[in-house]
Amino acid sequence: MSATAAPAGKAVGAVPDANRWKALVFIALAQLMVVLDATIVNIALPSAQQDLGISDGNRQWVVTAYALAFGGLLLFGGRIADLWGRKRAFVLGLGGFAVASALGGAATNEAMMFGARALQGVFGALLAPAALSLLAVMFTDGKERAKAFGIYGAIAGGGGAVGLILGGFLTEYLDWRWTFFVNIPFAVVAAAGAYFVIREPEGSRNRSPLDIPGVVLSTVGLVALVYGFTRAESEGWSDSLTIGMFVASAVLLAAFVAVEAKVKAPLLPLRVITERNRGGIYLSLGLAIIAMFGLFLFLTYYLQVVQGYSPVKTGFAFLPMIAGMITGSTQIGTRLMTRVAPRLLMGPGFLVAALGMLLLTQLEIDTSYAAVLLPGMLLLGLGMGTAFMPAMSLATLGVEPRDSGVASAMVNTSQQVGGAIGTALLNTIAASATTSYITDHIGGATSPAQQQLVQLEGQVQGYTSAIWFAVGILVAAAAIAVTFINAGRPADTVVTGSADETAGDELPIPVVAH
């Protein structure tokens, strides 16, 4: 990568799309649908399990089927978007997601439910990278890009918590099936709007032949990795199949890197991830998601099981986190991104989030919401929102248009894999701490009421032990962001593709604001 000064932070020769702000509305709507779906189904799961007769052993597949398809196919989906065109991939992804959601809502047995969830994952893997890469190629002006990614970052960060509220309302007052059907109007409106409004820039497709070995190795390798962590959560880390999945994943992904270094038209050009800024983004973002996904899970259980909140009340309890994320992303991140270097937003952002987590380590059975949970979630949201916004923007900044799909897919992959790791790792830590606490204290409980109290205390002890680990993970994310990311203010420099990497290619090397 080389850098050259350019005025006003604009891409040289770039003509802004007249409909770009209208397009942002539909791209953001699609992103909201995908993020909502990740949490909304969790709220409905107990009701769906009872209705469809899904066993306790199989219920995890409602979540796992989606995670495997989505996480495993993201890189392939990003490459398809580069090959077919991002608008086409975006609209097709929305249509497929709507059909899969309709099948999920109409499910009559567990097989139909699992199949619908897997199909949602497949089309989500096509839709998510297409949405982010459309933003990357449509918004080239530094200040406009900051605003656009501020909105996108707020939705990416806060949508999951909105899903908890919406899922609670739909499950409590209508029926669990509406947690699937609600996706259909989102998808139809976003697809129709995108079809008529989005105009993809000319000459930005990557028409190179598809890297089939890369597709197979990356897909199977990522599926093995996600399944390994998912299985570790239910069967334990010493389970032979769990270990086998991790070993297989390591071998397959190592083979994938070796193949990508040699083939002429790789699925994931190594230049996308070896550039230190993008590498730092993918790593720090993945770590932050590990911490955040685990916390969502623990706080949901803490509020409902320990504090006795209803699903709707639980959703509303997360509102301060949503408000913090929106404020951090659209007000702090957007306003400062063109004035300070990204690492000076991401590093402190992750540390503020860690401070919020630190407050939540003080949870007890009767902890006051106003005294501990409210400020903790507010700080967590502010920090994450501030850090997510420059991360989303920088991850695709300076990427050649032909690579924007796979670069966007890597952002989603780091989030998806981070979510799988976070849920499994932090759940294991929490379960171990809970078991240890109950074993040590149950002997002194003589009455059923005292035994129940020890059980609840053990759960809270497990949550706080895991949250301590999450604090450390966020501090590590901040250190990586400050160490690896050395890009200046977006308005200062222009990043160009490396000529030696693109020699002989039919596409021109773009010059993008950095």
Side-chain angles (χ1 to χ4, degrees), residues 190-438:
Y195 183 80
F196 291 109
V197 170
I198 291 177
R199 297 287 178 268
E200 194 174 347
E202 294 293 327
S204 62
R205 289 193 195 178
N206 184 345
R207 301 183 187 275
S208 305
L210 197 58
D211 170 22
I212 301 299
V215 169
V216 173
L217 288 169
S218 68
T219 301
V220 180
L222 286 170
V223 164
L225 182 64
V226 173
Y227 184 58
F229 278 108
T230 304
R231 188 173 174 84
E233 184 186 351
S234 58
E235 304 298 326
W237 296 90
S238 58
D239 175 70
S240 57
L241 185 54
T242 300
I243 295 169
M245 284 292 133
F246 287 135
V247 172
S249 173
V251 171
L252 288 164
L253 293 177
F256 170 67
V257 173
V259 167
E260 299 308 275
K262 292 180 180 178
V263 297
K264 186 177 179 183
L267 173 69
L268 175 63
L270 296 183
R271 61 179 174 267
V272 171
I273 56 174
T274 53
E275 198 276 317
R276 65 179 292 165
N277 288 290
R278 275 191 291 277
I281 291 286
Y282 299 144
L283 191 55
S284 61
L285 204 56
L287 285 172
I289 293 293
I290 288 175
M292 195 165 176
F293 263 61
L295 184 78
F296 266 156
L297 188 68
F298 298 139
L299 283 186
T300 301
Y301 275 99
Y302 173 79
L303 291 169
Q304 289 193 33
V305 176
V306 179
Q307 296 274 25
Y309 283 28
S310 69
V312 171
K313 190 177 178 183
T314 300
F316 275 107
F318 279 97
L319 277 177
M321 191 185 297
I322 301 173
M325 281 182 179
I326 292 172
T327 303
S329 188
T330 62
Q331 299 304 311
I332 301 172
T334 299
R335 291 174 187 275
L336 294 180
M337 189 179 161
T338 54
R339 300 177 187 179
V340 300
R343 68 178 178 275
L344 299 180
L345 286 174
M346 290 186 64
F350 287 138
L351 289 177
V352 169
L355 183 60
M357 285 270 197
L358 195 61
L359 276 176
L360 296 173
T361 60
Q362 307 306 306
L363 288 180
E364 294 176 0
I365 286 182
D366 56 352
T367 293
S368 161
Y369 178 85
V372 176
L373 286 156
L374 176 63
M377 287 198 281
L378 194 58
L379 284 171
L380 182 66
L382 270 174
M384 286 296 200
T386 301
F388 275 177
M389 189 260 144
M392 291 288 184
S393 179
L394 192 60
T396 53
L397 196 57
V399 176
E400 300 167 20
R402 62 188 180 138
D403 293 336
S404 64
V406 289
S408 302
M410 276 302 299
V411 177
N412 290 285
T413 301
S414 66
Q415 290 178 307
Q416 187 66 24
V417 173
I421 294 172
T423 305
L425 179 64
L426 296 181
N427 245 0
T428 305
I429 292 166
S432 176
T434 297
T435 303
S436 177
Y437 183 91
I438 292 172

Side-chain angles (χ1 to χ4, degrees), residues 59-77:
R59 69 181 174 188
Q60 64 160 326
W61 284 101
V62 176
V63 176
T64 304
Y66 177 84
L68 291 181
F70 190 76
L73 292 170
L74 270 167
L75 282 176
F76 182 45

Side-chain angles (χ1 to χ4, degrees), residues 29-99:
L29 189 64
Q31 173 66 11
L32 179 61
M33 180 190 72
V34 172
V35 177
L36 282 176
D37 192 73
T39 52
I40 199 172
V41 173
N42 290 342
I43 295 284
L45 185 53
S47 303
Q49 180 185 354
Q50 188 175 359
D51 260 16
L52 301 178
I54 302 173
S55 68
D56 285 347
N58 284 342
R59 69 181 174 188
Q60 64 160 326
W61 284 101
V62 176
V63 176
T64 304
Y66 177 84
L68 291 181
F70 190 76
L73 292 170
L74 270 167
L75 282 176
F76 182 45
R79 178 66 180 87
I80 290 294
D82 287 337
L83 181 65
W84 287 355
R86 293 157 198 89
K87 175 180 173 178
R88 186 179 298 173
F90 183 70
V91 173
L92 179 62
L94 283 166
F97 202 92
V99 170

